[in-house]
Amino acid sequence: MTDSILSKAATMEIPINSNGDTRTAEDDSLEQDLQQVMVSGPNLNETSIVSGGYGGAAEGIIPTSSIKDIRSKSRGITPSNSAASRIANQPGHYPAPSMHHSNSNPMMSEEATRGVAVEKFDSVKKWSINTYKCTKQMFSERFGRGTKTVDMELEAQIDVLRETKLKYECILRLARDLTNHFYNMVQTQQALGDTFADLSQKSPELQDEFGYNAETQRLLCKNGETLLGAINFFVSSINTLVNKTMEDTLMTIKMYENARLEFDAYRTDLEELSAGPRDAAAMMRIEMAQQQYQIQKDKYERLRSDVTIKLKFLDENKVKVMHKQLLLFHNAISAYFAGNQQQLEQTLRQFNVKLKPPGSDKPSWLEEQ
């Protein structure tokens, strides 16, 4: 009998719902009662859930339809646009921190861009005003209607410097021409000496005559290379003096002349404002013009002092350099054309002029140029 009971219990069917859970008769009756309450009770779509917000009765109210949209989204179902807009427009709705952070970066970059644009606009505005004033002053001076600040002594020194630079440029150009011509002559002498030496070996009847001339041309070629070293040192020193030292002083003079033009432009502007009415707006403009005038005056006086100092040092440097170079040029030329080889070499040693060592296969200093 016990075996029959166990076999009957083993063959009994256990009801299973769609989710795999066991169900009983009590569960079925409870589910029927719950469905009846939901049908007879209020519509859940029309109810709302109140959150613990701080702003009044209307704040923090989220419709249950919105909750369904959120649940549908969590299940992979995209809510409708109307539901999403209702959630976003609720007073108690706050955006996620990531969304707030992404919106702050464009705002910061926009403010930075606006600041750079304003700074550039102010810079262009100041430059335009300054250019207009200077152009107006320049035309006024050219047509004789404006006044000009002139330092007679300094202007005379500047004119002398410009004339001196032109003359030194002429010396430099002629010295370079002399170097090129003399280099060609030395190369011709070297080729002629090699030809004489070759013919001395091949012409026994004229061996002595060709040998004398070959030796003479070789000696002249050697002395010519020594003289070329002295002339090249002279050219290099003059080039440094003209294109570096004098040019640097002339650049400072150009800055001084621009500062003088700006100073006179703002001085004229201040004089015109001072001669006009004296109301509150005019007094403010006069005060601003006075500040700009003082700035330009300080700049003008500073550059005038720089030009005076540079002209003084340039004159001292020019005398020292030209004294040495002219003495070198004279002694080298005299010793070469006098045929005094020892005096020529001593001149180069005196002025520390370095030549290519004899027998070197490297190209000479002039061939490298």
Side-chain angles (χ1 to χ4, degrees):
M1 182 176 182
T2 304
D3 295 335
S4 62
I5 294 174
L6 292 175
S7 61
K8 184 179 181 180
T11 56
M12 288 179 63
E13 294 181 359
I14 301 175
I16 301 175
N17 60 6
S18 60
N19 291 329
D21 298 330
T22 58
R23 300 187 59 178
T24 61
E26 294 179 359
D27 295 335
D28 295 336
S29 61
L30 181 60
E31 182 178 358
Q32 293 176 1
D33 295 338
L34 181 59
Q35 290 178 357
Q36 184 178 0
V37 170
M38 293 178 64
V39 172
S40 60
N43 189 2
L44 295 178
N45 292 332
E46 298 177 356
T47 61
S48 59
I49 300 174
V50 181
S51 64
Y54 293 100
E59 295 184 357
I61 300 177
I62 305 176
T64 54
S65 59
S66 300
I67 297 176
K68 289 184 178 181
D69 293 334
I70 296 174
R71 290 177 177 176
S72 300
K73 184 176 181 180
S74 63
R75 294 176 182 176
I77 303 174
T78 304
S80 62
N81 294 332
S82 60
S85 61
R86 286 198 302 270
I87 295 174
N89 294 329
Q90 290 301 322
H93 175 73
Y94 296 97
S98 58
M99 296 175 60
H100 180 73
H101 179 71
S102 62
N103 292 333
S104 62
N105 289 335
M107 294 178 62
M108 294 175 62
S109 60
E110 183 179 357
E111 292 178 357
T113 304
R114 187 183 297 109
V116 173
V118 171
E119 183 179 357
K120 289 184 177 180
F121 176 78
D122 293 339
S123 177
V124 172
K125 181 180 178 181
K126 291 179 181 179
W127 175 83
S128 302
I129 295 174
N130 183 72
T131 303
Y132 169 74
K133 291 181 182 296
C134 293
T135 305
K136 179 181 177 182
Q137 177 67 23
M138 182 177 62
F139 279 104
S140 299
E141 294 176 1
R142 183 167 297 180
F143 291 104
R145 294 194 298 266
T147 58
K148 178 181 178 181
T149 303
V150 180
D151 189 336
M152 300 300 297
E153 182 179 359
L154 186 60
E155 292 293 333
Q157 294 178 1
I158 292 174
D159 292 339
V160 170
L161 173 60
R162 285 174 173 154
E163 293 177 1
T164 303
K165 186 173 184 292
L166 291 176
K167 294 177 181 179
Y168 276 52
E169 287 176 346
C170 181
I171 293 175
L172 180 61
R173 183 175 63 254
L174 294 175
R176 284 173 172 170
D177 292 341
L178 176 63
T179 302
N180 293 330
H181 296 323
F182 197 77
Y183 172 77
N184 293 329
M185 188 185 74
V186 170
Q187 294 298 313
T188 303
Q189 289 176 340
Q190 183 177 2
L192 188 59
D194 294 340
T195 304
F196 285 156
D198 183 63
L199 290 173
S200 175
Q201 299 294 330
K202 298 179 180 180
S203 303
E205 67 279 5
L206 297 174
Q207 183 177 4
D208 294 338
E209 288 79 1
F210 277 126
Y212 295 152
N213 281 275
E215 188 65 23
T216 301
Q217 294 300 322
R218 288 174 179 175
L219 180 61
L220 290 174
C221 180
K222 180 181 179 181
N223 293 340
E225 290 180 352
T226 305
L227 179 61
L228 278 173
I231 297 176
N232 182 70
F233 186 75
F234 174 81
V235 170
S236 177
S237 300
I238 300 299
N239 179 68
T240 301
L241 178 64
V242 173
N243 294 323
K244 292 185 179 180
T245 309
M246 290 185 178
E247 190 65 28
D248 178 71
T249 304
L250 289 175
M251 288 296 295
T252 307
I253 291 173
K254 185 177 180 180
M255 294 171 60
Y256 157 75
E257 291 175 344
N258 292 335
R260 196 277 311 163
L261 182 63
E262 292 180 355
F263 166 70
D264 284 335
Y266 282 92
R267 176 183 56 80
T268 303
D269 186 41
L270 179 61
E271 291 174 355
E272 293 177 355
L273 290 175
S274 300
R278 294 301 184 95
D279 55 357
M283 292 301 296
M284 184 177 298
R285 289 195 297 269
I286 291 174
E287 183 178 356
M288 295 177 62
Q290 181 68 33
Q291 294 176 358
Q292 293 295 326
Y293 166 78
Q294 189 63 38
I295 293 174
Q296 298 300 329
K297 181 180 179 181
D298 296 339
K299 179 180 178 182
Y300 165 72
E301 292 179 350
R302 184 180 68 255
L303 286 173
R304 181 176 62 180
S305 177
D306 293 344
V307 170
T308 303
I309 294 173
K310 284 198 172 185
L311 286 174
K312 180 181 178 180
F313 282 109
L314 175 62
D315 187 67
E316 295 176 356
N317 187 33
K318 179 189 66 176
V319 172
K320 184 185 299 183
V321 169
M322 292 307 299
H323 174 76
K324 176 181 178 180
Q325 296 303 319
L326 291 174
L327 187 61
L328 166 67
F329 190 82
H330 173 268
N331 293 344
I333 292 290
S334 301
Y336 173 80
F337 285 99
N340 192 340
Q341 181 180 359
Q342 295 180 353
Q343 182 65 31
L344 181 60
E345 294 177 353
Q346 183 180 356
T347 300
L348 268 67
R349 287 194 300 268
Q350 179 183 356
F351 292 97
N352 298 322
V353 179
K354 304 296 182 181
L355 295 179
K356 183 183 70 172
S360 177
D361 295 331
K362 296 181 179 180
S364 64
W365 53 266
L366 192 55
E367 293 174 348
E368 294 177 353
Q369 292 182 350

